[in-house]
Amino acid sequence: DGGITQSPKYLFRKEGQNVTLSCEQNLNHDAMYWYRQDPGQGLRLIYYSQIVNDFQKGDIAEGYSVSREKKESFPLTVTSAQKNPTAFYLCASSRPGQNEQFFGPGTRLTVL
Amino acid sequence: DQQVKQNSPSLSVQEGRISILNCDYTNSMFDYFLWYKKYPAEGPTFLISISSIKDKNEDGRFTVFLNKSAKHLSLHIVPSQPGDSAVYFCAAWEFNYGQNFVFGPGTRLSVLP
């Protein structure tokens, strides 16, 4: 079945450690996105990539990094520079010209 | 400053009645609007959308209305079912902004049996 997978579903890290969240899609979508959800704030865009080997900062990119070496994969690294990393992280993808984004199940990151 | 607002954080409705979720936006350049439904600990799923050139779009129990002059859209669910209980996000898209969406903060709908 086609879809977007994010792993793991729950992730715990100690403060000061970098952590990488996985996002894989087999929908053959060119564009991929990372969002962060905090209570009462909806979804905020962290990074997006319209094509392989290219990505752009979203509204809240500070403290995060991404790579897009393959069309299917768009991993997000939460670095120690991110001041408030505990959140629910959502990955999404879409086809060019398509107005709908498809979301993965999300990863809840808790930094202790 | 939030470009997409959902001023009601929560809404409770009796099963079988109509649920009306509201969304306001400030950017008149938005071309397309979408509603997503989200259950706890899951990713949002697409529900229904509407282009800025239309004022209504219907899909089964779900209807979205767009009032461009008021920069307001609403999602109507009739009849409401307990399985509709979720958080609903309104999202807006502007062609010149690439393929990026602006999401509202969400409204939690509870449908009571």
Side-chain angles (χ1 to χ4, degrees):
Chain A
D1 281 2
I4 303 176
T5 55
Q6 290 183 247
S7 60
K9 197 168 179 68
Y10 299 96
L11 192 55
F12 295 88
R13 278 295 181 269
K14 288 186 177 179
E15 195 173 316
Q17 288 182 331
N18 290 358
V19 59
T20 297
L21 281 60
S22 156
C23 177
E24 304 279 330
Q25 54 99 359
N26 60 3
L27 299 166
N28 200 33
H29 287 172
D30 289 307
M32 296 186 74
Y33 311 80
W34 273 105
Y35 293 91
R36 168 182 171 140
Q37 185 194 8
D38 295 283
Q41 295 200 50
L43 306 178
R44 292 184 291 167
L45 183 65
I46 305 172
Y47 266 99
Y48 64 99
S49 167
Q50 305 278 26
I51 199 167
V52 174
N53 292 323
D54 184 56
F55 49 83
Q56 307 293 332
K57 291 182 179 179
D59 300 320
I60 54 165
E62 187 176 345
Y64 299 97
S65 66
V66 292
S67 63
R68 187 83 189 278
E69 295 175 5
K70 297 187 300 181
K71 189 175 186 177
E72 303 79 24
S73 178
F74 191 40
L76 173 75
T77 297
V78 185
T79 75
S80 56
Q82 168 50 234
K83 297 282 187 282
N84 197 12
T86 294
F88 189 56
Y89 290 88
L90 286 159
C91 178
S93 70
S94 68
R95 283 205 307 264
Q98 186 180 56
N99 295 324
E100 178 187 338
Q101 290 188 353
F102 294 85
F103 284 84
T107 292
R108 179 163 296 283
L109 172 65
T110 302
V111 175
L112 307 170
Chain B
D1 184 33
Q2 281 189 336
Q3 293 190 70
V4 177
K5 302 175 186 179
Q6 293 176 258
N7 292 323
S8 298
S10 62
L11 175 69
S12 292
V13 170
Q14 210 67 37
E15 182 179 1
R17 307 292 284 267
I18 184 171
S19 295
I20 301 177
L21 295 96
N22 293 305
C23 178
D24 296 288
Y25 61 94
T26 57
N27 184 355
S28 59
M29 300 300 291
F30 284 139
D31 301 286
Y32 206 80
F33 303 89
L34 306 92
W35 284 94
Y36 281 85
K37 175 179 176 179
K38 183 182 179 303
Y39 293 116
E42 292 184 13
T45 54
F46 170 73
L47 197 56
I48 193 169
S49 63
I50 188 166
S51 163
S52 61
I53 61 172
K54 294 189 173 183
D55 55 18
K56 179 182 174 182
N57 188 27
E58 201 170 345
D59 183 3
R61 295 187 297 115
F62 303 93
T63 304
V64 56
F65 295 93
L66 175 62
N67 182 336
K68 283 195 72 176
S69 60
K71 296 193 182 72
H72 175 84
L73 66 155
S74 60
L75 173 68
H76 292 211
I77 306 173
V78 183
S80 301
Q81 299 173 354
D84 296 330
S85 297
V87 176
Y88 290 78
F89 290 101
C90 171
W93 178 82
E94 179 187 346
F95 179 78
N96 289 327
Y97 192 48
Q99 287 187 272
N100 299 332
F101 294 80
V102 180
F103 283 85
T107 295
R108 180 176 301 280
L109 173 66
S110 299
V111 179
L112 310 172

